[in-house]
mmCIF file of all heavy atoms in Angstrom:
data_model
loop_
_atom_site.group_PDB
_atom_site.id
_atom_site.type_symbol
_atom_site.label_atom_id
_atom_site.label_comp_id
_atom_site.label_asym_id
_atom_site.label_seq_id
_atom_site.Cartn_x
_atom_site.Cartn_y
_atom_site.Cartn_z
ATOM 1 N N MET A 754 -103.557 77.223 36.776
ATOM 2 C CA MET A 754 -104.345 77.036 37.996
ATOM 3 C C MET A 754 -105.755 76.566 37.617
ATOM 4 O O MET A 754 -106.308 77.037 36.640
ATOM 5 C CB MET A 754 -104.417 78.374 38.749
ATOM 6 C CG MET A 754 -104.631 78.224 40.254
ATOM 7 S SD MET A 754 -104.733 79.842 41.108
ATOM 8 C CE MET A 754 -103.045 80.434 40.968
ATOM 9 N N ALA A 769 -125.936 62.128 52.335
ATOM 10 C CA ALA A 769 -125.380 63.049 51.345
ATOM 11 C C ALA A 769 -125.094 62.313 50.033
ATOM 12 O O ALA A 769 -125.319 62.844 48.945
ATOM 13 C CB ALA A 769 -124.101 63.699 51.883
ATOM 14 N N PHE A 772 -128.084 61.937 47.855
ATOM 15 C CA PHE A 772 -128.348 63.061 46.948
ATOM 16 C C PHE A 772 -127.295 63.158 45.833
ATOM 17 O O PHE A 772 -127.624 63.120 44.651
ATOM 18 C CB PHE A 772 -128.425 64.403 47.697
ATOM 19 C CG PHE A 772 -128.620 65.552 46.730
ATOM 20 C CD1 PHE A 772 -129.869 65.803 46.174
ATOM 21 C CD2 PHE A 772 -127.550 66.327 46.321
ATOM 22 C CE1 PHE A 772 -130.033 66.810 45.224
ATOM 23 C CE2 PHE A 772 -127.709 67.343 45.366
ATOM 24 C CZ PHE A 772 -128.950 67.579 44.826
ATOM 25 N N TYR A 773 -126.021 63.310 46.217
ATOM 26 C CA TYR A 773 -124.998 63.595 45.202
ATOM 27 C C TYR A 773 -124.719 62.386 44.298
ATOM 28 O O TYR A 773 -124.398 62.544 43.131
ATOM 29 C CB TYR A 773 -123.710 64.102 45.869
ATOM 30 C CG TYR A 773 -123.874 65.509 46.378
ATOM 31 C CD1 TYR A 773 -124.217 65.772 47.699
ATOM 32 C CD2 TYR A 773 -123.745 66.595 45.514
ATOM 33 C CE1 TYR A 773 -124.414 67.066 48.155
ATOM 34 C CE2 TYR A 773 -123.933 67.889 45.962
ATOM 35 C CZ TYR A 773 -124.267 68.120 47.280
ATOM 36 O OH TYR A 773 -124.471 69.409 47.706
ATOM 37 N N SER A 776 -129.263 60.653 43.402
ATOM 38 C CA SER A 776 -130.197 61.599 42.786
ATOM 39 C C SER A 776 -129.535 62.417 41.678
ATOM 40 O O SER A 776 -130.087 62.561 40.593
ATOM 41 C CB SER A 776 -130.761 62.555 43.844
ATOM 42 O OG SER A 776 -131.299 61.847 44.932
ATOM 43 N N LEU A 777 -128.359 62.959 41.967
ATOM 44 C CA LEU A 777 -127.702 63.824 40.982
ATOM 45 C C LEU A 777 -126.953 62.991 39.936
ATOM 46 O O LEU A 777 -126.719 63.446 38.824
ATOM 47 C CB LEU A 777 -126.741 64.774 41.708
ATOM 48 C CG LEU A 777 -126.200 65.968 40.938
ATOM 49 C CD1 LEU A 777 -127.335 66.873 40.433
ATOM 50 C CD2 LEU A 777 -125.257 66.793 41.806
ATOM 51 N N LEU A 799 -115.855 65.064 38.900
ATOM 52 C CA LEU A 799 -116.703 65.912 38.057
ATOM 53 C C LEU A 799 -115.782 66.550 37.024
ATOM 54 O O LEU A 799 -115.168 67.571 37.299
ATOM 55 C CB LEU A 799 -117.260 67.036 38.914
ATOM 56 C CG LEU A 799 -118.701 67.023 39.331
ATOM 57 C CD1 LEU A 799 -118.963 68.165 40.277
ATOM 58 C CD2 LEU A 799 -119.629 67.071 38.142
ATOM 59 N N ARG A 823 -121.858 76.387 61.703
ATOM 60 C CA ARG A 823 -122.405 76.904 60.441
ATOM 61 C C ARG A 823 -123.429 75.978 59.796
ATOM 62 O O ARG A 823 -124.108 76.381 58.860
ATOM 63 C CB ARG A 823 -121.266 77.127 59.420
ATOM 64 C CG ARG A 823 -120.068 77.921 59.932
ATOM 65 C CD ARG A 823 -120.089 79.378 59.581
ATOM 66 N NE ARG A 823 -120.471 79.647 58.208
ATOM 67 C CZ ARG A 823 -120.191 80.771 57.551
ATOM 68 N NH1 ARG A 823 -119.494 81.723 58.144
ATOM 69 N NH2 ARG A 823 -120.605 80.972 56.319
ATOM 70 N N GLU A 825 -124.456 72.326 57.654
ATOM 71 C CA GLU A 825 -123.938 71.697 56.443
ATOM 72 C C GLU A 825 -123.737 72.740 55.341
ATOM 73 O O GLU A 825 -124.430 73.742 55.297
ATOM 74 C CB GLU A 825 -124.923 70.641 55.934
ATOM 75 C CG GLU A 825 -125.097 69.449 56.871
ATOM 76 C CD GLU A 825 -125.984 68.386 56.254
ATOM 77 O OE1 GLU A 825 -127.072 68.745 55.753
ATOM 78 O OE2 GLU A 825 -125.609 67.212 56.277
ATOM 79 N N GLY A 826 -122.817 72.464 54.425
ATOM 80 C CA GLY A 826 -122.604 73.367 53.292
ATOM 81 C C GLY A 826 -121.165 73.320 52.817
ATOM 82 O O GLY A 826 -120.371 72.487 53.275
ATOM 83 N N GLN A 843 -95.987 84.754 46.525
ATOM 84 C CA GLN A 843 -96.730 85.840 45.878
ATOM 85 C C GLN A 843 -97.853 86.360 46.785
ATOM 86 O O GLN A 843 -98.058 87.569 46.919
ATOM 87 C CB GLN A 843 -97.298 85.239 44.602
ATOM 88 C CG GLN A 843 -98.014 86.130 43.640
ATOM 89 C CD GLN A 843 -98.500 85.272 42.446
ATOM 90 O OE1 GLN A 843 -97.738 84.475 41.884
ATOM 91 N NE2 GLN A 843 -99.756 85.420 42.090
ATOM 92 N N ALA A 847 -98.165 89.959 48.896
ATOM 93 C CA ALA A 847 -99.347 90.824 48.769
ATOM 94 C C ALA A 847 -100.055 91.023 50.105
ATOM 95 O O ALA A 847 -101.084 91.693 50.172
ATOM 96 C CB ALA A 847 -100.305 90.231 47.739
ATOM 97 N N SER A 871 -108.440 86.856 54.324
ATOM 98 C CA SER A 871 -107.729 87.393 53.166
ATOM 99 C C SER A 871 -108.429 87.119 51.841
ATOM 100 O O SER A 871 -108.041 87.655 50.812
ATOM 101 C CB SER A 871 -106.316 86.805 53.095
ATOM 102 O OG SER A 871 -105.535 87.281 54.168
ATOM 103 N N THR A 872 -109.426 86.245 51.854
ATOM 104 C CA THR A 872 -110.032 85.775 50.599
ATOM 105 C C THR A 872 -111.486 86.213 50.448
ATOM 106 O O THR A 872 -112.209 85.663 49.636
ATOM 107 C CB THR A 872 -110.038 84.235 50.561
ATOM 108 O OG1 THR A 872 -110.861 83.793 51.657
ATOM 109 C CG2 THR A 872 -108.652 83.642 50.675
ATOM 110 N N HIS A 873 -111.927 87.141 51.271
ATOM 111 C CA HIS A 873 -113.335 87.565 51.255
ATOM 112 C C HIS A 873 -114.259 86.407 51.634
ATOM 113 O O HIS A 873 -115.245 86.125 50.960
ATOM 114 C CB HIS A 873 -113.688 88.201 49.907
ATOM 115 C CG HIS A 873 -112.884 89.448 49.675
ATOM 116 N ND1 HIS A 873 -113.364 90.707 49.929
ATOM 117 C CD2 HIS A 873 -111.588 89.616 49.309
ATOM 118 C CE1 HIS A 873 -112.422 91.598 49.696
ATOM 119 N NE2 HIS A 873 -111.332 90.962 49.323
ATOM 120 N N MET B 217 -121.140 65.930 33.220
ATOM 121 C CA MET B 217 -121.366 67.001 34.192
ATOM 122 C C MET B 217 -120.014 67.509 34.700
ATOM 123 O O MET B 217 -119.107 66.713 34.922
ATOM 124 C CB MET B 217 -122.195 66.457 35.367
ATOM 125 C CG MET B 217 -123.014 67.497 36.094
ATOM 126 S SD MET B 217 -123.960 66.822 37.510
ATOM 127 C CE MET B 217 -125.197 65.816 36.689
ATOM 128 N N ALA B 232 -112.017 92.738 46.245
ATOM 129 C CA ALA B 232 -111.991 91.304 45.978
ATOM 130 C C ALA B 232 -111.097 91.006 44.772
ATOM 131 O O ALA B 232 -110.360 90.016 44.755
ATOM 132 C CB ALA B 232 -113.402 90.786 45.747
ATOM 133 N N PHE B 235 -107.475 90.815 45.582
ATOM 134 C CA PHE B 235 -106.989 89.501 46.023
ATOM 135 C C PHE B 235 -106.993 88.480 44.878
ATOM 136 O O PHE B 235 -105.959 87.903 44.548
ATOM 137 C CB PHE B 235 -107.802 88.952 47.205
ATOM 138 C CG PHE B 235 -107.343 87.560 47.588
ATOM 139 C CD1 PHE B 235 -106.169 87.372 48.311
ATOM 140 C CD2 PHE B 235 -108.025 86.434 47.144
ATOM 141 C CE1 PHE B 235 -105.700 86.087 48.599
ATOM 142 C CE2 PHE B 235 -107.564 85.148 47.432
ATOM 143 C CZ PHE B 235 -106.403 84.982 48.156
ATOM 144 N N TYR B 236 -108.168 88.220 44.292
ATOM 145 C CA TYR B 236 -108.277 87.125 43.322
ATOM 146 C C TYR B 236 -107.527 87.425 42.013
ATOM 147 O O TYR B 236 -107.006 86.513 41.379
ATOM 148 C CB TYR B 236 -109.750 86.781 43.045
ATOM 149 C CG TYR B 236 -110.371 86.066 44.220
ATOM 150 C CD1 TYR B 236 -111.090 86.754 45.187
ATOM 151 C CD2 TYR B 236 -110.174 84.710 44.403
ATOM 152 C CE1 TYR B 236 -111.626 86.103 46.289
ATOM 153 C CE2 TYR B 236 -110.700 84.043 45.505
ATOM 154 C CZ TYR B 236 -111.426 84.747 46.438
ATOM 155 O OH TYR B 236 -111.934 84.094 47.538
ATOM 156 N N SER B 239 -103.324 89.471 43.622
ATOM 157 C CA SER B 239 -102.530 88.652 44.543
ATOM 158 C C SER B 239 -102.462 87.190 44.091
ATOM 159 O O SER B 239 -101.398 86.580 44.059
ATOM 160 C CB SER B 239 -103.106 88.705 45.961
ATOM 161 O OG SER B 239 -103.268 90.033 46.385
ATOM 162 N N LEU B 240 -103.617 86.617 43.745
ATOM 163 C CA LEU B 240 -103.649 85.199 43.376
ATOM 164 C C LEU B 240 -103.232 85.012 41.924
ATOM 165 O O LEU B 240 -102.747 83.934 41.544
ATOM 166 C CB LEU B 240 -105.055 84.641 43.622
ATOM 167 C CG LEU B 240 -105.226 83.125 43.643
ATOM 168 C CD1 LEU B 240 -104.348 82.472 44.707
ATOM 169 C CD2 LEU B 240 -106.695 82.764 43.880
ATOM 170 N N LEU B 262 -110.744 79.768 35.235
ATOM 171 C CA LEU B 262 -109.829 78.873 35.941
ATOM 172 C C LEU B 262 -109.940 77.522 35.240
ATOM 173 O O LEU B 262 -110.838 76.746 35.561
ATOM 174 C CB LEU B 262 -110.333 78.689 37.366
ATOM 175 C CG LEU B 262 -109.609 79.326 38.507
ATOM 176 C CD1 LEU B 262 -110.371 79.098 39.787
ATOM 177 C CD2 LEU B 262 -108.191 78.802 38.633
ATOM 178 N N ARG B 286 -124.994 86.374 56.156
ATOM 179 C CA ARG B 286 -123.919 85.389 56.260
ATOM 180 C C ARG B 286 -122.525 85.972 56.114
ATOM 181 O O ARG B 286 -121.533 85.294 56.401
ATOM 182 C CB ARG B 286 -124.078 84.289 55.193
ATOM 183 C CG ARG B 286 -125.473 83.668 55.085
ATOM 184 C CD ARG B 286 -125.624 82.366 55.801
ATOM 185 N NE ARG B 286 -124.510 81.454 55.609
ATOM 186 C CZ ARG B 286 -124.576 80.137 55.768
ATOM 187 N NH1 ARG B 286 -125.730 79.575 56.096
ATOM 188 N NH2 ARG B 286 -123.516 79.366 55.628
ATOM 189 N N GLU B 288 -119.387 87.754 53.673
ATOM 190 C CA GLU B 288 -118.767 87.366 52.409
ATOM 191 C C GLU B 288 -118.456 85.868 52.412
ATOM 192 O O GLU B 288 -118.224 85.274 53.457
ATOM 193 C CB GLU B 288 -117.457 88.140 52.229
ATOM 194 C CG GLU B 288 -117.646 89.643 52.061
ATOM 195 C CD GLU B 288 -116.334 90.340 51.753
ATOM 196 O OE1 GLU B 288 -115.340 90.059 52.469
ATOM 197 O OE2 GLU B 288 -116.282 91.146 50.824
ATOM 198 N N GLY B 289 -118.415 85.295 51.222
ATOM 199 C CA GLY B 289 -118.046 83.887 51.113
ATOM 200 C C GLY B 289 -118.707 83.235 49.914
ATOM 201 O O GLY B 289 -119.340 83.911 49.091
ATOM 202 N N GLN B 306 -134.936 63.925 36.982
ATOM 203 C CA GLN B 306 -134.286 62.917 37.829
ATOM 204 C C GLN B 306 -134.258 63.371 39.296
ATOM 205 O O GLN B 306 -134.540 62.590 40.213
ATOM 206 C CB GLN B 306 -132.871 62.766 37.275
ATOM 207 C CG GLN B 306 -131.975 61.748 37.859
ATOM 208 C CD GLN B 306 -130.604 61.814 37.140
ATOM 209 O OE1 GLN B 306 -130.528 61.886 35.904
ATOM 210 N NE2 GLN B 306 -129.521 61.830 37.896
ATOM 211 N N ALA B 310 -136.474 61.985 42.571
ATOM 212 C CA ALA B 310 -135.815 61.575 43.811
ATOM 213 C C ALA B 310 -136.277 62.415 45.009
ATOM 214 O O ALA B 310 -135.790 62.227 46.123
ATOM 215 C CB ALA B 310 -134.303 61.681 43.648
ATOM 216 N N SER B 334 -132.176 70.368 50.051
ATOM 217 C CA SER B 334 -132.045 69.077 49.376
ATOM 218 C C SER B 334 -130.600 68.691 49.091
ATOM 219 O O SER B 334 -130.327 67.561 48.706
ATOM 220 C CB SER B 334 -132.813 69.089 48.044
ATOM 221 O OG SER B 334 -134.203 69.149 48.279
ATOM 222 N N THR B 335 -129.678 69.637 49.250
ATOM 223 C CA THR B 335 -128.287 69.419 48.811
ATOM 224 C C THR B 335 -127.299 69.398 49.978
ATOM 225 O O THR B 335 -126.103 69.525 49.770
ATOM 226 C CB THR B 335 -127.838 70.563 47.890
ATOM 227 O OG1 THR B 335 -127.899 71.770 48.674
ATOM 228 C CG2 THR B 335 -128.718 70.694 46.664
ATOM 229 N N HIS B 336 -127.803 69.309 51.203
ATOM 230 C CA HIS B 336 -126.952 69.365 52.378
ATOM 231 C C HIS B 336 -126.244 70.714 52.496
ATOM 232 O O HIS B 336 -125.030 70.794 52.689
ATOM 233 C CB HIS B 336 -125.973 68.184 52.403
ATOM 234 C CG HIS B 336 -126.714 66.884 52.513
ATOM 235 N ND1 HIS B 336 -126.902 66.222 53.685
ATOM 236 C CD2 HIS B 336 -127.397 66.189 51.570
ATOM 237 C CE1 HIS B 336 -127.651 65.150 53.472
ATOM 238 N NE2 HIS B 336 -127.963 65.103 52.200
#
Side-chain angles (χ1 to χ4, degrees):
Chain A
M754 206 181 291
F772 177 77
Y773 287 96
S776 307
L777 194 59
L799 254 175
R823 310 263 316 201
E825 294 185 311
Q843 185 181 313
S871 292
T872 62
H873 297 262
Chain B
M217 206 181 291
F235 176 77
Y236 287 95
S239 307
L240 195 58
L262 252 175
R286 311 261 316 202
E288 294 186 312
Q306 184 181 314
S334 292
T335 62
H336 297 262

